Amino acid sequence: MNRSSKTAAAVLTAAGILAAGWLPAGSATAVGGAAPPPGERVLWGSVTIPPGQDGIVEVSALSGFGSRLTLTAPAGAEVTGVPLTAAGYRGEVAADGRTAAYTATSAESPWRTGTFPFVLAVPADAEPGTRLDGCVLRLADAEGVARASGGCQVTVGLPSPALSRPEAGVPLGHRPAASGTAYPGAQVTVSDQDGNEVCTDTAGSDGSWSCAPGRDLPAGANRLQATATATSNGVSASSEQIQITVGSPAPEAASAAPAMPPR
């Protein structure tokens, strides 16, 4: 999966962000379930990324010691970029995408105050709700000795559904039909601005879904939003809201109003 950092950055708004930081030794276990060495601090965090998308893993608030910060991608995922461009650090990604690292090039590099992002890609065929094992974080000193280690909990999220109908800004009847696309097999629920359920459907094998309200929607301005939920594990994601207007008179109806009789 060869992607430039520019391409990766373009999809980050649809992905998750992990913020990893310090935990006291003993409060979390290192990767593989082994306890960290006495006195060693642990790096830990969690992130959710939908299938076929990229997310940012941000490591911050590190101690002042250390020379090289490395992230190893979990099974099935790849590190596609190290987008930090700051003086005092050099970022690099391994050719196979399994690992990426930031290396301090200056003794004055402020690891403690810096934030070090890695771009992590989840495969398109990953099952929403599953966790990808094997994400490792490691901070080593100039001699290569680990000064801190830990892992990332990477969960495969559910892609956001699309709500393509009804159209925004068009006068609608009191029971406007809704339709769009979602992850195949997901339960889709359309809700109004007050969180009331409007209608539901299950996305087909091609991802399409449609439904119509079983009751009249209140007249006036409203907002609709679709939420998709995986029936196997309850992972969910929501679409953007669309603005609608229910019960407004059609333009031709207004123009057909009787003219005032001449005086």
Side-chain angles (χ1 to χ4, degrees):
M1 185 182 306
N2 295 321
R3 305 182 186 182
S4 67
S5 58
K6 180 177 180 180
T7 301
V11 299
L12 294 180
T13 56
I17 295 180
L18 177 154
W22 294 113
L23 292 177
S27 64
T29 57
V31 175
E40 181 176 321
R41 288 180 168 184
V42 175
L43 289 167
W44 182 252
S46 62
V47 64
T48 299
I49 306 174
Q53 296 185 12
D54 296 351
I56 282 206
V57 177
E58 288 186 339
V59 184
S60 60
L62 299 175
S63 177
F65 56 72
S67 175
R68 185 176 175 85
L69 173 66
T70 303
L71 181 143
T72 300
E78 292 183 6
V79 189
T80 61
V82 281
L84 174 68
T85 54
Y89 301 98
R90 183 182 70 253
E92 55 191 343
V93 180
D96 60 1
R98 292 293 302 138
T99 62
Y102 285 105
T103 302
T105 58
S106 168
E108 291 77 28
S109 299
W111 288 99
R112 182 183 297 276
T113 58
T115 298
F116 304 90
F118 297 87
V119 180
L120 189 65
V122 168
D125 60 352
E127 179 69 23
T130 58
R131 292 180 180 175
L132 304 182
D133 297 326
C135 181
V136 180
L137 290 167
R138 184 175 184 268
L139 181 65
D141 61 20
E143 284 71 43
V145 178
R147 302 302 301 269
S149 62
C152 330
Q153 179 176 289
V154 179
T155 302
V156 182
L158 191 71
S160 297
L163 179 58
S164 54
R165 290 183 57 206
E167 294 182 48
V170 177
L172 303 170
H174 290 279
R175 297 189 182 188
S179 63
T181 56
Y183 190 80
Q187 180 74 29
V188 180
T189 301
V190 179
S191 304
D192 64 15
Q193 62 187 8
D194 298 317
N196 300 315
E197 181 180 304
V198 173
C199 61
T200 64
D201 192 25
T202 299
S205 58
D206 62 350
S208 62
W209 61 269
S210 62
C211 60
R215 57 176 176 81
D216 289 352
L217 298 184
N222 208 326
R223 292 191 303 272
L224 296 183
Q225 185 175 42
T227 299
T229 303
T231 56
S232 59
N233 48 46
V235 176
S236 63
S238 296
S239 70
E240 294 184 357
Q241 293 183 333
I242 61 171
Q243 301 282 344
I244 64 169
T245 301
V246 175
S248 296
E252 57 270 20
S255 61
M260 295 294 292
R263 295 184 179 180

